[in-house]
Amino acid sequence: MSTQNLTDGFHALIDAFKKNDINNIYAVAGIPITDVLRLAVEREMKVIAFRHESNAGHAAAIAGYLTQKPGICMTVSAPGMLNGMVALANATVNCFPMILISGSSDRAISELKRGDYEELDQVNAAVPYAKLSIRVNRPEDIGLAIARAYRVAVSGRPGGVYVDIPGEVLATTVDKDVAEKSMFRIVDPAPAQLPGKAALDRAIDLLASAERPMILLGKGAAYAQAENEVKDFVESNKVPFLPMSMAKGILPDSHEQSAAAARSHTIGNADVVLLCGARLNWLLNQGQGPLWSDDTKFVHIDIEPIEMDSNRLIHAPLVGDIKSTLAALTEGLKAKGGMKPSEEWLNSIKERKERNFERMAKRLEADPSPMNFSSALRAVRDGFNANPGTILVNEGANTLDFARSIIDMEEPRKRLDTGTWGIMGIGMGYAIGAAVETGEAVLAVEGDSAFGFSGMEIETIVRYNLPVVTVIFNNSGIYRGDAPGTDPSPTGLLPARYDKMIEAFGGVGYHAEDSASLQKAVDEALKARKPALINAVIDPTAGTESGNITHLNPQSALSKS
Ligand SMILES: Nc1ncnc2c1ncn2[C@@H]1O[C@H](COP(=O)(O)OP(=O)(O)O)[C@@H](O)[C@H]1O
Ligand SMILES: Cc1ncc(Cc2csc(CCOP(=O)(O)OP(=O)(O)O)c2C)c(N)n1
Ligand SMILES: [Mg+2]
């Protein structure tokens, strides 16, 4: 047969991406996907080649969160695929749409367990962590597989999908017309989903009756790009709002109706809470006392039906997409004259906010040497605020907890952090994914231990000349540093000069031992829009074990006796 009218799996995969406007691939090259990546570059796709598959996967996951299109991570077989699985699982847990595509070994050999190169049952390995795990066995099925993976990743509760492509499928030829017929552009993969009228009326009645209401915004509302609907709901009903970490900025933290600075009071005393793209999981004490009151009634908007009653009775469940459902709630409430939070309730929040603002201001006045978390973060905050539009990536323990309350966000989807799992290692992957997908400058505020999980990607950042500035909060340890002259403890780290690391790759390194030089370095580096790394020296004694979640450490009863 002449090859004129033939194509193959390599080309069919690129065609399938292009058919559905997928233009970026985050990957680590190797057998059997290297030539797919080369072909993708030839066909003018953007391929970002990483040093470790976990980081490529995190970049793909955050690309999905930021764009509502599934991010694509490609890896080699077996160990490469397993490295990518951390990110696939984290994407599914965080409800970020991504597709992990891994090459795999020869089916004829591996199905008989005859010991092929990188032999592994990858499809089954992915099942527990993905919404869907499928294998392609013929090049003419690649179009269907990618279309199906796309829809599953973004429809309903977004998450991770695994697609397995054996090397021989990539190499197999197929008639061009047959392959072309197998390609299609999917229609409306994440359709609007409205709750029924009875559910809406029930929720509207409950919200309209509330004297001490609050809306709790989760990263689902940020992912849904529902900032306009949130603004209309919050402002037309004068209701206080509380943003979870990655929901910060859906409405500006400076908004007068933000209750963030009075979190415990607002949660503990609200009579009706509207959960909007947020789960009552460990981050919210599973909705239990003493933080929450047993008397609180819940309205819950979520696209996932079985999320309702996960931890508390939901008095008015609203199963639907946030944008459509919030708009319908606002319209219905306007028709009833809107919500009527009591002046007493609003004043009680205002008073606590003012008191806590004063406390925070006092904490931020101090300027010790060496820097502590608060003084360093005040400097970073001021450098960050001088560069509007910058995306903030944040991980660590103390570095995460202090930054969440000190660095305010004014725009949605600009704070990307450890999320639902509290996972370390998302830093450089998220920073790269955010810079590639948005073109914005990125400031990654990293604990020195957290940075270590993905730090080799500094070379990737320099290689692609990305506008990523990494600030390492160097307290020489996980949570804190070791006492001078002692042997290394399980949580100790060297007081290393990480700034020399980026210089080794050709990037710009800064070493900051005081807050003034730290603020100057952050501002200068962000304005330069070049890869930079700032080594910020933090007092090794300043940290708290596990930051705000010390209580999650198991305590032996013996140790108490
Ligand atoms: N478009 C959407 N409409 C409705 N719910 C959504 C949408 N996208 C995601 N979700 C839901 O948002 C929730 C996000 O919860 P979570 O990740 O716990 O947020 P947070 O950690 O900020 O509280 C998930 O339960 C998910 O099903
Ligand atoms: C994949 C994974 N492995 C380990 C851990 C456990 C952990 C939680 S926080 C943290 C690092 C804290 O040290 P860091 O220096 O980053 O921050 P700071 O408090 O400012 O000193 C670890 C190792 C998690 N969450 N995920
Ligand atoms: Mg540290």
Side-chain angles (χ1 to χ4, degrees), residues 227-228 231 235 241 243-258 260 353 357 381 384-392 403-415:
E227 44 270 20
N228 295 331
K231 179 178 173 64
E235 294 182 350
F241 69 90
M244 297 300 286
S245 190
M246 283 180 63
K248 284 165 66 78
I250 290 177
L251 284 177
D253 280 333
S254 57
H255 194 290
E256 63 169 352
Q257 290 171 246
S258 168
K353 278 176 69 174
F357 282 147
R381 177 202 66 190
F384 175 74
N385 290 342
N387 294 276
T390 301
I391 291 172
L392 179 72
R404 185 171 38 227
S405 57
I406 291 173
I407 301 181
D408 281 352
M409 302 309 293
E410 297 298 295
E411 293 175 271
R413 293 175 297 285
K414 294 282 187 181
R415 179 184 162 88

Side-chain angles (χ1 to χ4, degrees), residues 266-506:
T266 309
I267 288 178
N269 294 282
D271 60 354
V272 178
V273 172
L274 170 54
L275 294 171
C276 182
R279 287 173 285 195
L280 278 178
N281 55 21
W282 71 282
L283 291 161
L284 288 166
N285 298 60
Q286 277 84 28
Q288 306 305 308
L291 178 63
W292 293 87
S293 156
D294 292 343
D295 303 331
T296 301
K297 291 191 183 324
F298 290 93
V299 181
H300 193 167
I301 304 176
D302 204 296
I303 203 153
E304 173 50 71
I306 65 169
E307 188 55 37
M308 303 300 157
D309 307 328
S310 62
N311 282 286
R312 287 282 296 264
L313 165 65
I314 301 301
H315 301 81
L318 292 170
V319 178
D321 79 272
I322 290 168
K323 273 179 90 78
S324 311
T325 307
L326 258 187
L329 278 181
T330 302
E331 188 185 343
L333 283 163
K334 280 178 181 168
K336 286 176 74 87
M339 294 169 66
K340 297 180 181 54
S342 72
E343 280 310 308
E344 186 192 353
W345 171 235
L346 300 180
N347 289 334
S348 73
I349 293 172
K350 187 165 178 285
E351 279 159 23
R352 278 165 183 76
K353 278 176 69 174
E354 284 163 1
R355 197 186 315 157
N356 288 334
F357 282 147
E358 277 170 31
R359 283 192 192 134
M360 174 67 85
K362 276 210 179 337
R363 216 170 85 194
L364 295 179
E365 267 170 17
D367 196 11
S369 178
M371 291 184 279
N372 62 23
F373 288 99
S374 297
S375 63
L377 279 161
R378 185 206 59 238
V380 168
R381 177 202 66 190
D382 294 348
F384 175 74
N385 290 342
N387 294 276
T390 301
I391 291 172
L392 179 72
V393 171
N394 186 208
E395 59 177 345
N398 296 280
T399 304
L400 175 83
D401 293 334
F402 278 83
R404 185 171 38 227
S405 57
I406 291 173
I407 301 181
D408 281 352
M409 302 309 293
E410 297 298 295
E411 293 175 271
R413 293 175 297 285
K414 294 282 187 181
R415 179 184 162 88
L416 312 173
D417 63 29
T418 56
T420 303
W421 248 358
I423 184 173
M424 292 301 116
I426 51 91
M428 297 301 101
Y430 280 16
I432 293 168
V436 168
E437 296 296 334
T438 69
E440 298 281 4
V442 177
L443 179 66
V445 178
E446 300 275 304
D448 49 344
S449 164
F451 171 72
F453 287 78
S454 66
M456 195 60 205
E457 304 299 346
I458 288 287
E459 186 272 337
T460 307
I461 289 165
V462 175
R463 183 166 14 106
Y464 289 99
N465 194 29
L466 295 173
V468 173
V469 176
T470 302
V471 184
I472 295 177
F473 273 46
N474 191 345
N475 63 341
S476 7
I478 298 180
Y479 317 133
R480 68 169 73 85
D482 289 337
T486 57
D487 290 339
S489 77
T491 55
L493 297 172
L494 284 174
R497 286 293 301 267
Y498 296 101
D499 50 308
K500 300 296 180 194
M501 177 181 174
I502 193 166
E503 288 170 1
F505 301 130

Side-chain angles (χ1 to χ4, degrees), residues 188-244:
D188 197 12
Q193 293 180 32
L194 255 180
K197 183 176 180 321
L200 283 166
D201 289 346
R202 182 189 300 117
I204 288 164
D205 288 346
L206 185 52
L207 289 165
S209 70
E211 290 179 18
R212 304 187 306 282
M214 180 261 283
I215 178 172
L216 202 156
L217 298 167
K219 58 177 168 297
Y223 169 76
Q225 299 184 9
E227 44 270 20
N228 295 331
E229 290 75 10
V230 168
K231 179 178 173 64
D232 194 6
F233 178 86
V234 163
E235 294 182 350
S236 63
N237 291 293
K238 299 185 181 48
V239 62
F241 69 90
L242 199 54
M244 297 300 286

